Structures are given as C-alpha cells and as structure tokens.
Amino acid sequence: MKKQPIVEPGPQPVRERILNAAMESFMEFGYTEASTLKIATRAQVSKRELYALFGNKQAMLAACIADRAGRMRLPSQLPAPSHREELAAMLSRLGATVLHEVSHPGVMAVFRLAITEAQRAPEVAATLETARESIRTTARIILVQAQSAGMIGAGDPSEMGNRYLALLWGDLMMSLLLRLCDAPDAADIDRRVRSATEDFLRLYPEPKSQVRRATSKSTPRR
C-alpha cells in the first residue's frame, strides 16, 4: 500500500499576510503608531505592494474588520418565517452567529483598540460601527418580516432588534472587554441564545387576533 505524500501548506497569500501583520501591529503599537512601514516589514512585503492592495492604513483596518463582520451576516435574501417556531429558529441562528464571532479574541481586540484610539483615530470606531450596524440590520429584517406576517404586534422593528441583542449579550460584552472571562463555549452560547429568544418572544407575543384565527381554524365544526 502506497503512502500518501504529505502536502505541505503553501505560503499565505500576500493580502492575508498584510492583514495579519496589520492587526498584530495595531494590537502591539496602537492604530496611530502602527506605521505602514512596520506593517510592511512584518508582512515581508514592500510598501509598494501594501499600497497597491490597500491604499492606506485605514483601508487595512476596514478590511480586517470587514473580514470578521462578513462571517456574521446571514443570507441577504432571508425567507420570511411562516410561524413562531421558525421565527425563533431564525433569531437563534443570528444570535449564535453573533456571539461566536464577536466574542472571538481578535474581535475583542478591535473593540479595545477602538476604545483606546477613540480621540486620536475616531475612524477606527466608525469602521467598527459599520460592522455592528450590519448585525442590527439583519435583526431588523427578520422582525419586519415577522411583523408583516402577524407573528408579533406593532412596534419599531429596529428597537425590537436592539432589545433582542441586549437580551443576548447581557453583561458579557463588558466582561470580555475587561478580560474578566473567556469567550463563551458552544454550551454557553446555546444557553444564552435559548434564554434570549424565549425572553424576547415573551416580550413580543403573537397578536390576539392571530391566536384567535389559528384557534378557530383548528376547532372542528359541529
């Protein structure tokens, strides 16, 4: 029996090397002090290559954040939920994705960077806020669809989405930022998601008219 040849991993693509070097430099020196020369040296590329791919330091930071934010996005064309159980499943899927990705140590490092550099480099916080807005938009879309289908009552879907995310996080974000706890494991995420979804659906019950309609359909005529 022939032995399978061992395939050695190839070198990282230049773009990936630059982004990794940029994030490491931001964490080590701070956004302001992490010069493009330091990043290029760490990535083992020339400054010309760096500028050809990204143009400037802010673009590198934006790419680092966008890479993580992209993992939190659900499909843009979400199917409308057809019943409350499906709504619960969609919220749970969003919640689990958000907790897993945002609590990643690299993402927490970006949040700390944004806080540290708030005055000297407000563009860091602005770039991060764009990523956070994509999460809120996805929650709003789910709730707009649920509201249109009569699964939840009247109200502002944006505020409802923010309430769901607040229930999901509790004080976990602050604890992670202060390094008081580790990122949640799969069991912790499942517990948080289940609790937040159940609490949210209790806060926003199905309108009584919909409940009466569903009950009348299920009651056999005499």
Short mmCIF file of all heavy atoms in Angstrom, two decimals, residues 83-92 142-143 146 151-153 163-164 167 193-207:
data_model
loop_
_atom_site.label_atom_id
_atom_site.label_comp_id
_atom_site.label_asym_id
_atom_site.label_seq_id
_atom_site.Cartn_x
_atom_site.Cartn_y
_atom_site.Cartn_z
N HIS A 83 -44.10 30.74 10.78
CA HIS A 83 -44.74 30.53 12.08
C HIS A 83 -43.75 30.93 13.17
O HIS A 83 -42.57 31.16 12.91
CB HIS A 83 -45.20 29.07 12.25
CG HIS A 83 -44.17 28.07 11.83
ND1 HIS A 83 -43.07 27.76 12.61
CD2 HIS A 83 -44.06 27.31 10.71
CE1 HIS A 83 -42.34 26.84 11.99
NE2 HIS A 83 -42.91 26.57 10.83
N ARG A 84 -44.22 30.99 14.40
CA ARG A 84 -43.40 31.50 15.51
C ARG A 84 -42.18 30.62 15.76
O ARG A 84 -41.11 31.11 16.13
CB ARG A 84 -44.25 31.57 16.78
CG ARG A 84 -45.34 32.61 16.75
CD ARG A 84 -44.93 33.95 17.31
NE ARG A 84 -44.72 33.95 18.73
CZ ARG A 84 -44.47 35.04 19.45
NH1 ARG A 84 -44.40 36.22 18.86
NH2 ARG A 84 -44.27 34.98 20.74
N GLU A 85 -42.33 29.32 15.57
CA GLU A 85 -41.19 28.42 15.78
C GLU A 85 -40.08 28.72 14.79
O GLU A 85 -38.89 28.67 15.11
CB GLU A 85 -41.62 26.95 15.66
CG GLU A 85 -42.50 26.45 16.79
CD GLU A 85 -43.94 26.93 16.68
OE1 GLU A 85 -44.32 27.47 15.60
OE2 GLU A 85 -44.68 26.79 17.67
N GLU A 86 -40.47 29.06 13.56
CA GLU A 86 -39.47 29.40 12.54
C GLU A 86 -38.82 30.75 12.87
O GLU A 86 -37.62 30.93 12.66
CB GLU A 86 -40.13 29.46 11.17
CG GLU A 86 -39.16 29.36 10.01
CD GLU A 86 -39.87 29.05 8.72
OE1 GLU A 86 -40.59 29.93 8.20
OE2 GLU A 86 -39.71 27.92 8.23
N LEU A 87 -39.59 31.68 13.39
CA LEU A 87 -39.04 32.97 13.82
C LEU A 87 -38.02 32.74 14.93
O LEU A 87 -36.93 33.32 14.91
CB LEU A 87 -40.16 33.88 14.32
CG LEU A 87 -39.73 35.17 15.03
CD1 LEU A 87 -38.90 36.05 14.10
CD2 LEU A 87 -40.96 35.93 15.54
N ALA A 88 -38.36 31.88 15.88
CA ALA A 88 -37.43 31.56 16.98
C ALA A 88 -36.15 30.95 16.44
O ALA A 88 -35.04 31.28 16.90
CB ALA A 88 -38.10 30.61 17.97
N ALA A 89 -36.27 30.09 15.44
CA ALA A 89 -35.09 29.45 14.86
C ALA A 89 -34.20 30.46 14.15
O ALA A 89 -32.97 30.40 14.25
CB ALA A 89 -35.52 28.35 13.89
N MET A 90 -34.80 31.43 13.46
CA MET A 90 -34.02 32.44 12.74
C MET A 90 -33.30 33.37 13.72
O MET A 90 -32.13 33.70 13.54
CB MET A 90 -34.92 33.24 11.80
CG MET A 90 -35.47 32.43 10.64
SD MET A 90 -36.62 33.37 9.59
CE MET A 90 -35.48 34.44 8.74
N LEU A 91 -34.01 33.77 14.78
CA LEU A 91 -33.36 34.61 15.79
C LEU A 91 -32.23 33.85 16.49
O LEU A 91 -31.17 34.41 16.77
CB LEU A 91 -34.39 35.07 16.83
CG LEU A 91 -35.40 36.12 16.36
CD1 LEU A 91 -36.47 36.33 17.41
CD2 LEU A 91 -34.70 37.44 16.03
N SER A 92 -32.45 32.58 16.74
CA SER A 92 -31.43 31.77 17.40
C SER A 92 -30.20 31.61 16.53
O SER A 92 -29.06 31.67 17.01
CB SER A 92 -32.00 30.38 17.75
OG SER A 92 -33.06 30.48 18.68
N ILE A 142 -35.44 40.44 9.87
CA ILE A 142 -36.17 39.27 10.39
C ILE A 142 -37.46 39.72 11.06
O ILE A 142 -38.54 39.13 10.86
CB ILE A 142 -35.29 38.49 11.38
CG1 ILE A 142 -34.11 37.83 10.65
CG2 ILE A 142 -36.12 37.42 12.11
CD1 ILE A 142 -33.09 37.19 11.58
N LEU A 143 -37.38 40.78 11.86
CA LEU A 143 -38.55 41.21 12.63
C LEU A 143 -39.57 41.95 11.77
O LEU A 143 -40.77 41.88 12.03
CB LEU A 143 -38.08 42.07 13.81
CG LEU A 143 -37.25 41.27 14.82
CD1 LEU A 143 -36.62 42.18 15.86
CD2 LEU A 143 -38.12 40.21 15.50
N ALA A 146 -41.48 39.15 10.26
CA ALA A 146 -42.36 38.53 11.26
C ALA A 146 -43.56 39.42 11.55
O ALA A 146 -44.69 38.93 11.71
CB ALA A 146 -41.58 38.26 12.54
N MET A 151 -46.89 37.80 13.24
CA MET A 151 -46.38 36.95 14.33
C MET A 151 -46.05 37.75 15.57
O MET A 151 -45.98 37.19 16.67
CB MET A 151 -45.13 36.21 13.86
CG MET A 151 -45.41 35.17 12.83
SD MET A 151 -43.88 34.43 12.27
CE MET A 151 -44.41 33.89 10.66
N ILE A 152 -45.79 39.04 15.42
CA ILE A 152 -45.55 39.93 16.55
C ILE A 152 -46.35 41.20 16.33
O ILE A 152 -46.70 41.53 15.19
CB ILE A 152 -44.05 40.27 16.73
CG1 ILE A 152 -43.45 40.81 15.43
CG2 ILE A 152 -43.27 39.07 17.22
CD1 ILE A 152 -41.99 41.21 15.56
N GLY A 153 -46.65 41.90 17.41
CA GLY A 153 -47.51 43.07 17.32
C GLY A 153 -46.80 44.30 16.79
O GLY A 153 -45.65 44.25 16.33
N ARG A 163 -33.42 45.25 21.31
CA ARG A 163 -33.80 44.59 22.55
C ARG A 163 -33.35 43.11 22.54
O ARG A 163 -32.85 42.61 23.55
CB ARG A 163 -35.32 44.67 22.72
CG ARG A 163 -35.87 43.94 23.96
CD ARG A 163 -35.46 44.60 25.25
NE ARG A 163 -35.91 45.97 25.34
CZ ARG A 163 -37.15 46.33 25.75
NH1 ARG A 163 -38.02 45.42 26.11
NH2 ARG A 163 -37.48 47.60 25.80
N TYR A 164 -33.52 42.47 21.39
CA TYR A 164 -33.08 41.07 21.30
C TYR A 164 -31.57 40.95 21.52
O TYR A 164 -31.10 40.09 22.26
CB TYR A 164 -33.46 40.46 19.95
CG TYR A 164 -32.92 39.05 19.79
CD1 TYR A 164 -33.45 38.01 20.54
CD2 TYR A 164 -31.86 38.77 18.94
CE1 TYR A 164 -32.95 36.72 20.44
CE2 TYR A 164 -31.35 37.49 18.83
CZ TYR A 164 -31.90 36.47 19.58
OH TYR A 164 -31.39 35.20 19.48
N LEU A 167 -30.71 41.40 25.16
CA LEU A 167 -31.00 40.17 25.91
C LEU A 167 -29.94 39.11 25.66
O LEU A 167 -29.55 38.37 26.56
CB LEU A 167 -32.38 39.63 25.51
CG LEU A 167 -33.60 40.44 25.95
CD1 LEU A 167 -34.85 39.92 25.24
CD2 LEU A 167 -33.78 40.34 27.46
N VAL A 193 -28.46 31.94 23.84
CA VAL A 193 -29.36 32.10 22.70
C VAL A 193 -30.76 31.63 23.06
O VAL A 193 -31.76 32.31 22.76
CB VAL A 193 -28.82 31.31 21.49
CG1 VAL A 193 -29.89 31.19 20.40
CG2 VAL A 193 -27.59 32.00 20.92
N ARG A 194 -30.86 30.47 23.69
CA ARG A 194 -32.17 29.94 24.06
C ARG A 194 -32.90 30.88 25.03
O ARG A 194 -34.08 31.18 24.86
CB ARG A 194 -32.01 28.55 24.67
CG ARG A 194 -33.33 27.83 24.95
CD ARG A 194 -33.14 26.36 25.27
NE ARG A 194 -32.25 26.18 26.40
CZ ARG A 194 -31.01 25.70 26.33
NH1 ARG A 194 -30.51 25.38 25.14
NH2 ARG A 194 -30.28 25.55 27.41
N SER A 195 -32.17 31.37 26.04
CA SER A 195 -32.77 32.26 27.03
C SER A 195 -33.21 33.57 26.40
O SER A 195 -34.32 34.06 26.65
CB SER A 195 -31.76 32.52 28.16
OG SER A 195 -32.27 33.45 29.08
N ALA A 196 -32.34 34.18 25.55
CA ALA A 196 -32.67 35.45 24.92
C ALA A 196 -33.87 35.32 23.99
O ALA A 196 -34.75 36.19 23.98
CB ALA A 196 -31.46 35.97 24.14
N THR A 197 -33.93 34.25 23.23
CA THR A 197 -35.03 34.06 22.28
C THR A 197 -36.35 33.84 23.01
O THR A 197 -37.38 34.43 22.64
CB THR A 197 -34.72 32.87 21.35
OG1 THR A 197 -33.47 33.10 20.67
CG2 THR A 197 -35.82 32.70 20.31
N GLU A 198 -36.32 33.02 24.05
CA GLU A 198 -37.55 32.78 24.83
C GLU A 198 -38.03 34.07 25.50
O GLU A 198 -39.23 34.38 25.47
CB GLU A 198 -37.29 31.70 25.88
CG GLU A 198 -37.13 30.31 25.29
CD GLU A 198 -36.71 29.28 26.34
OE1 GLU A 198 -36.48 29.67 27.50
OE2 GLU A 198 -36.62 28.09 25.99
N ASP A 199 -37.11 34.83 26.10
CA ASP A 199 -37.48 36.09 26.75
C ASP A 199 -38.03 37.09 25.74
O ASP A 199 -39.00 37.80 26.02
CB ASP A 199 -36.27 36.70 27.47
CG ASP A 199 -35.87 35.92 28.71
OD1 ASP A 199 -36.65 35.04 29.15
OD2 ASP A 199 -34.77 36.18 29.24
N PHE A 200 -37.40 37.15 24.56
CA PHE A 200 -37.84 38.10 23.54
C PHE A 200 -39.26 37.77 23.08
O PHE A 200 -40.11 38.67 22.95
CB PHE A 200 -36.89 38.07 22.35
CG PHE A 200 -37.29 38.98 21.22
CD1 PHE A 200 -36.97 40.33 21.26
CD2 PHE A 200 -38.01 38.50 20.15
CE1 PHE A 200 -37.36 41.18 20.24
CE2 PHE A 200 -38.40 39.34 19.12
CZ PHE A 200 -38.07 40.69 19.16
N LEU A 201 -39.54 36.50 22.83
CA LEU A 201 -40.86 36.12 22.34
C LEU A 201 -41.93 36.30 23.41
O LEU A 201 -43.11 36.51 23.09
CB LEU A 201 -40.84 34.68 21.82
CG LEU A 201 -39.99 34.47 20.55
CD1 LEU A 201 -39.96 33.01 20.16
CD2 LEU A 201 -40.51 35.33 19.40
N ARG A 202 -41.54 36.23 24.68
CA ARG A 202 -42.50 36.55 25.75
C ARG A 202 -42.79 38.05 25.78
O ARG A 202 -43.91 38.48 26.05
CB ARG A 202 -41.96 36.08 27.10
CG ARG A 202 -42.23 34.61 27.40
CD ARG A 202 -42.01 34.30 28.87
NE ARG A 202 -40.61 34.43 29.24
CZ ARG A 202 -39.74 33.42 29.22
NH1 ARG A 202 -40.15 32.22 28.83
NH2 ARG A 202 -38.48 33.60 29.58
N LEU A 203 -41.76 38.86 25.50
CA LEU A 203 -41.94 40.31 25.47
C LEU A 203 -42.84 40.74 24.31
O LEU A 203 -43.59 41.71 24.40
CB LEU A 203 -40.59 41.01 25.34
CG LEU A 203 -39.75 41.18 26.59
CD1 LEU A 203 -38.37 41.71 26.22
CD2 LEU A 203 -40.42 42.12 27.58
N TYR A 204 -42.74 40.01 23.18
CA TYR A 204 -43.49 40.36 21.98
C TYR A 204 -44.34 39.16 21.56
O TYR A 204 -44.00 38.43 20.63
CB TYR A 204 -42.55 40.77 20.85
CG TYR A 204 -41.72 41.99 21.20
CD1 TYR A 204 -40.40 41.86 21.62
CD2 TYR A 204 -42.28 43.26 21.15
CE1 TYR A 204 -39.65 42.98 21.96
CE2 TYR A 204 -41.54 44.38 21.48
CZ TYR A 204 -40.22 44.24 21.89
OH TYR A 204 -39.48 45.35 22.23
N PRO A 205 -45.46 38.95 22.26
CA PRO A 205 -46.31 37.79 21.95
C PRO A 205 -47.04 37.95 20.63
O PRO A 205 -47.13 39.05 20.07
CB PRO A 205 -47.29 37.75 23.13
CG PRO A 205 -47.37 39.16 23.58
CD PRO A 205 -46.01 39.75 23.37
N GLU A 206 -47.59 36.87 20.16
CA GLU A 206 -48.38 36.88 18.94
C GLU A 206 -49.66 37.68 19.20
O GLU A 206 -50.28 37.53 20.25
CB GLU A 206 -48.72 35.44 18.54
CG GLU A 206 -49.25 35.29 17.14
CD GLU A 206 -49.32 33.84 16.72
OE1 GLU A 206 -49.16 32.96 17.58
OE2 GLU A 206 -49.54 33.59 15.52
N PRO A 207 -50.04 38.57 18.28
CA PRO A 207 -51.28 39.34 18.47
C PRO A 207 -52.48 38.44 18.73
O PRO A 207 -52.58 37.35 18.16
CB PRO A 207 -51.42 40.10 17.15
CG PRO A 207 -50.03 40.20 16.62
CD PRO A 207 -49.36 38.91 17.03
#
